Amino acid sequence: MVAGNWKLNKTATEAYSLVSEMLTGLRTIHGVDVVLCPPFTALYAVSKLIKDNDISLGGQDMYWEEKGPFTGEISARMLAEFCQYVILGHSERRQHFGETNEQVARKVKAALSQNLIPILCVGETLEENEAGRAAGVVSRQVHEALHLLDIQVIGNVIIAYEPVWAIGTGRAATPEGANMTIRNVIRPTIAGLAGETTAQKIRVLYGGSVDAGNARDFFTQPEIDGALVGGASLNAGFFISIVEAASTAG
Ligand code: PEP
């Protein structure tokens, strides 16, 4: 899987142009689940454009309530009209908007109730990493985001391991390091919640400065099932190259 997180970029008109530019290249690549996550305001336009293509749409966040007096928020049901996926617990939401593990857990549950597949982001900060606390932080984020769920649905969640220090910095984690965190921390935490079979089958992406040059090295790691891509997903050529790398890496 390759998911593009556009963050706060592109008007609906600009999104339409960017996806138009991507389509020809993406149509020739097979065997990769491609997910585009533009801003809410571009979802309708992009959904029309990708209608007959094997490309999915995702939101970048949502609120856990279904409706009511929550000005500015958007519900899982609203997103599900256009999207199959939703990014939840992105570190930028945790950092800039104070999102907690408990809030992320409610969002994950609400998303699944509307058949949206959550892409749950977890990852340690530089400070936590340097203090040797990465494993504890990541394990806790996974556990606290998923513990409200029935065991049978945990396997429907996608986890994105995104070390905060690697996001938007051009300083990606090493593929081996990311692979090790997924194998030694994320999958065992899932196993504790839902059993070994689910832990092995759940999809885990890597995110953090993935680009056309390094993508393949991540995709060839045994524990890494794809990438969540920020900056490079805003460039049609770079994004296509990353999807191509996922396709050929097997
Ligand atoms: C992200 O925003 O999830 C991300 C991984 O960003 P970037 O690829 O720009 O580091």
Side-chain angles (χ1 to χ4, degrees):
M1 163 177 284
V2 178
N5 173 17
W6 293 13
K7 313 190 190 199
L8 203 169
N9 293 289
K10 307 291 178 191
T11 63
T13 311
E14 290 163 352
Y16 196 92
S17 306
L18 177 59
V19 177
S20 305
E21 213 185 315
M22 287 176 179
L23 278 181
T24 322
L26 290 179
R27 276 193 197 113
T28 63
I29 308 172
H30 303 285
V32 184
D33 290 336
V34 177
V35 184
L36 302 177
C37 305
F40 296 138
T41 47
L43 287 173
Y44 180 73
V46 175
S47 73
K48 293 287 165 210
L49 189 56
I50 63 173
K51 184 159 59 64
D52 298 319
N53 294 273
D54 204 6
I55 296 171
S56 301
L57 265 188
Q60 297 176 18
D61 185 33
M62 46 155 265
Y63 193 53
W64 58 79
E65 293 288 351
E66 198 185 320
K67 59 183 172 186
F70 304 102
T71 302
E73 294 295 337
I74 187 162
S75 73
R77 189 157 160 260
M78 291 170 184
L79 272 188
E81 226 179 338
F82 305 106
C83 299
Q84 297 73 42
Y85 296 86
V86 58
I87 297 171
L88 293 175
H90 192 281
S91 67
E92 287 154 13
R93 296 221 54 87
R94 295 178 191 259
Q95 252 184 325
H96 304 309
F97 303 98
E99 219 167 273
T100 63
N101 287 338
E102 196 211 323
Q103 291 171 326
V104 176
R106 288 188 186 198
K107 292 183 178 192
V108 169
K109 194 166 183 220
L112 288 168
S113 77
Q114 294 297 324
N115 294 320
L116 280 174
I117 301 175
I119 301 175
L120 167 67
C121 301
V122 296
E124 81 284 1
T125 62
L126 183 61
E127 194 189 1
E128 290 161 344
N129 184 288
E130 286 175 346
R133 293 176 49 221
V137 167
V138 170
S139 173
R140 189 164 164 197
Q141 286 173 333
V142 172
H143 190 275
E144 292 190 0
L146 302 183
H147 79 285
L148 295 180
L149 302 178
D150 290 336
I151 286 177
Q152 316 84 266
V153 301
I154 289 180
N156 298 337
V157 175
I158 293 172
I159 314 274
Y161 171 53
E162 301 205 305
V164 179
W165 46 269
I167 296 179
T169 57
R171 187 186 154 205
T174 63
E176 297 75 17
N179 189 72
M180 208 162 73
T181 301
I182 296 169
R183 188 187 61 215
N184 297 346
V185 180
I186 295 179
R187 293 200 195 277
T189 306
I190 301 289
L193 285 161
E196 194 55 44
T197 308
T198 302
Q200 290 313 317
K201 128 175 180 238
I202 204 165
R203 285 200 278 182
V204 186
L205 315 179
Y206 167 75
S209 297
V210 171
D211 59 31
N214 64 17
R216 200 186 156 75
D217 297 336
F218 288 100
F219 298 143
T220 49
Q221 293 293 323
E223 303 290 344
I224 299 180
D225 301 311
L228 180 54
V229 184
S233 72
L234 293 166
N235 176 299
F238 293 163
F239 190 67
I240 291 165
S241 297
I242 294 169
V243 175
E244 216 151 36
S247 171
T248 55

